[in-house]
Amino acid sequence: MKKRYSHRGHYIECANDSYTSLVGGRTVSGSMLGVRQCIDWWCDTHIFRSPAEFERQSFKSTQSRTSENYKGIQIMSDEKQPGLWYIFVRGQLLKGPLPKIKQYIDHHSLSR
């Protein structure tokens, strides 16, 4: 049994976990997300891109960021600048090496 979905005026058919659709006169197949992104791209730009091109994108997980809890304050590492850490103090960003931030917290008696 085939399931049919509609997305932005295009029909997407599902058979055995494979999604297919007709986009710009071409038949595309792949994951649901890839086919939907292909349709979105076609509707917005009228340029054809296959679903495989969208599936190659890799996104960094937010779990790669490390953090440390020091005296009730969460100190987070900066992904773009290794060795630097940051905290928010009264709405202001404080950034620097971990020992200096801990020293700042001790000196200014910050705690939560």
Side-chain angles (χ1 to χ4, degrees):
M1 182 174 147
K2 289 185 179 180
K3 293 183 181 178
R4 281 185 108 175
Y5 304 97
S6 177
H7 180 68
R8 295 184 76 169
H10 292 80
Y11 288 108
I12 303 171
E13 291 184 353
C14 174
N16 301 329
D17 293 330
S18 177
Y19 298 90
T20 59
S21 182
L22 186 65
V23 179
R26 300 178 187 170
T27 302
V28 296
S29 63
S31 68
M32 174 64 114
L33 180 62
V35 171
R36 289 181 70 173
Q37 286 177 330
C38 178
I39 292 169
D40 288 338
W41 193 265
W42 175 257
C43 289
D44 293 340
T45 64
H46 287 285
I47 297 172
F48 180 79
R49 288 184 67 188
S50 69
E53 292 180 46
F54 293 106
E55 292 170 356
R56 284 192 303 228
Q57 297 175 357
S58 62
F59 300 101
K60 292 182 180 178
S61 66
T62 57
Q63 297 169 346
S64 64
R65 179 180 296 164
T66 57
S67 65
E68 184 174 318
N69 194 359
Y70 182 71
K71 294 189 178 182
I73 296 176
Q74 186 178 11
I75 307 171
M76 295 161 282
S77 68
D78 190 359
E79 294 176 349
K80 295 183 181 179
Q81 295 178 334
L84 292 181
W85 295 70
Y86 66 93
I87 61 172
F88 289 100
V89 179
R90 297 179 191 94
Q92 299 289 324
L93 175 68
L94 178 67
K95 190 172 186 178
L98 186 60
K100 290 288 187 178
I101 291 180
K102 287 181 178 180
Q103 182 181 8
Y104 180 86
I105 292 171
D106 291 336
H107 185 264
H108 292 286
S109 301
L110 298 176
S111 64
R112 292 187 179 174

